[in-house]
Amino acid sequence: VQLQASGGGLVQAGGSLRLSCAVSGGPFGGYAIGWFRQARGQEREFVAAINWSGSRTYYKDSVKGRFTISRDNRRNTVYLQMNNLKPEDTAVYSCAAVDSQRGGNYYKDQTYEYWGQGTQVTVSS
């Protein structure tokens, strides 16, 4: 299974970006997908996750109300719409996948089986 994150860039505070995570090589509809981020010099942290059907979503407290995760199972893609971006959102954002049948805590990076390379998001003040 391969994951490819895209859509990062440089944006001013208060602006928006939409990240995409394209998944190939596996049954996309059977995977839960998570977004994580890692700022320079900091540990990787959970941002958002979505279950296999899109019926359940999970968010880090500091992004609730600003970020929205969604998925299009026809396009094998998960999206992370990020609004009202803040300088503290600056990080490399990566997506990850786990077979939904494995279960696990979607907030923990150890839960995920497959990882893609990240995309840089930089928010200027």
Side-chain angles (χ1 to χ4, degrees):
V1 177
Q2 293 82 44
L3 297 91
Q4 180 64 53
S6 62
L10 173 63
V11 64
Q12 289 187 332
S16 299
L17 285 173
R18 188 177 80 158
L19 305 185
S20 298
C21 176
V23 181
S24 60
F28 178 75
Y31 291 108
I33 305 293
W35 283 98
F36 288 78
R37 67 187 182 188
Q38 187 168 21
R40 185 175 299 179
Q42 297 187 23
E43 296 290 318
R44 182 165 59 192
E45 64 177 6
F46 170 79
V47 177
I50 190 166
N51 73 337
W52 68 274
S53 67
S55 62
R56 299 198 67 176
T57 57
Y58 311 81
Y59 294 97
K60 176 181 174 64
D61 285 346
S62 64
V63 308
K64 286 180 181 177
R66 300 190 297 122
F67 291 11
T68 303
I69 189 170
S70 62
R71 66 189 296 155
D72 184 341
N73 284 359
R74 296 170 301 173
R75 298 179 185 273
N76 289 6
T77 301
V78 169
Y79 304 99
L80 184 67
Q81 177 66 44
M82 307 187 295
N83 298 328
N84 191 21
L85 282 160
K86 303 177 180 181
E88 51 264 41
D89 295 319
T90 294
V92 175
Y93 284 70
S94 301
C95 54
V98 59
D99 187 329
S100 293
Q101 294 193 7
R102 291 173 59 96
N105 184 336
Y106 293 153
Y107 293 86
K108 300 293 186 183
D109 56 4
Q110 301 97 313
T111 296
Y112 295 86
E113 301 172 272
Y114 308 103
W115 288 83
Q117 291 188 334
T119 184
Q120 175 72 46
V121 172
T122 303
V123 185
S124 64
S125 57

